[in-house]
Amino acid sequence: MDYKHKMIKGIKTHSLAGKRVAISGATGGLGRPLCRYLASLGASLVLLDRNGERSRALGAELTGEFPALSVAYLRVDMEDIASVAAAAEELKKAPLHLLILNAGAYNIPRHKCSTGYDNVFQINFISPYYLARRLFEKISERGGRIVAVGSIAHNYSKSDEMDIDFSTRRKASLVYGNAKRF
């Protein structure tokens, strides 16, 4: 079952011609079909991804299907707050109308990031929150929106004030769920 296609197929929206959309996690899971759908609506895209090669491959695929599509690429590693901060500064310069915070990580090797947070929590909450806070004013000045992709994973666990990022938990699903809750 192509659940990704079915989810996007049901979305009804107007033309996005003349609108610039940045999307994190553009090359994975939901990102690819979402980029295709946004391109079909006439949006210009800024692909935010840590893997430039995959971003460019997706861009080539999309421009093959939508020749008028404008695609830009911005490398951002959601584990690295310096990379996220640099991306936020670049995005502030662009006339951005929509930011879709789609990047996520679940079952990956875990470690502490430079911020001191668990990397799964960093990728799924800290970095998207940082981008939203840094770009909110510029996007709202244009009447734009910020969309954070969530999941039912918040049901996986309960908050713990003594372990905010769930770094003491062994199961990645608990960290992921907690990040989605925030």
Side-chain angles (χ1 to χ4, degrees):
M1 176 178 197
D2 186 4
Y3 68 92
K4 296 169 200 160
H5 174 72
K6 289 186 183 301
M7 286 173 41
I8 291 173
K9 186 178 177 185
I11 297 173
K12 302 272 190 271
T13 192
H14 301 285
S15 169
L16 293 176
K19 305 290 184 190
R20 176 172 269 174
V21 179
I23 178 168
S24 68
T27 63
L30 294 174
R32 293 179 69 83
L34 184 54
C35 286
R36 178 166 278 101
Y37 182 71
L38 295 167
S40 77
L41 294 173
S44 64
L45 300 176
V46 180
L47 306 183
L48 308 175
D49 208 277
R50 69 175 184 246
N51 187 320
E53 191 174 302
R54 285 192 342 199
S55 288
R56 288 182 194 344
L58 175 59
E61 182 182 314
L62 292 172
T63 54
E65 191 173 339
F66 305 98
L69 177 65
S70 170
V71 183
Y73 310 94
L74 186 56
R75 185 187 180 285
V76 61
D77 182 348
M78 301 296 261
E79 276 193 23
D80 178 12
I81 201 68
S83 173
V84 174
E89 289 308 308
E90 284 301 311
L91 289 169
K92 277 182 162 182
K93 298 174 192 174
L96 196 59
H97 301 92
L98 180 62
L99 172 64
I100 301 176
L101 300 166
N102 173 64
Y106 180 81
N107 193 18
I108 60 173
R110 292 178 49 209
H111 61 270
K112 291 283 186 187
C113 293
S114 63
T115 58
Y117 290 107
D118 179 277
N119 64 322
V120 174
F121 192 76
Q122 172 87 26
I123 292 166
N124 290 290
F125 174 69
I126 299 295
S127 292
Y129 180 77
Y130 182 92
L131 283 172
R133 292 284 297 182
R134 294 299 303 240
L135 298 170
F136 176 77
E137 189 174 323
K138 287 283 187 189
I139 292 172
S140 63
E141 284 173 3
R142 292 183 185 87
R145 301 282 188 269
I146 297 174
V147 176
V149 176
S151 76
I152 63 167
H154 67 278
N155 291 324
Y156 292 176
S157 59
K158 298 193 184 304
S159 294
D160 182 349
E161 293 176 17
M162 302 307 292
D163 187 15
I164 200 76
D165 68 348
F166 275 38
S167 61
T168 64
R169 304 323 200 270
R170 291 186 188 270
K171 293 175 83 178
S173 61
L174 296 179
V175 180
Y176 179 79
N178 199 47
K180 292 302 182 181
R181 175 181 300 103
F182 279 94

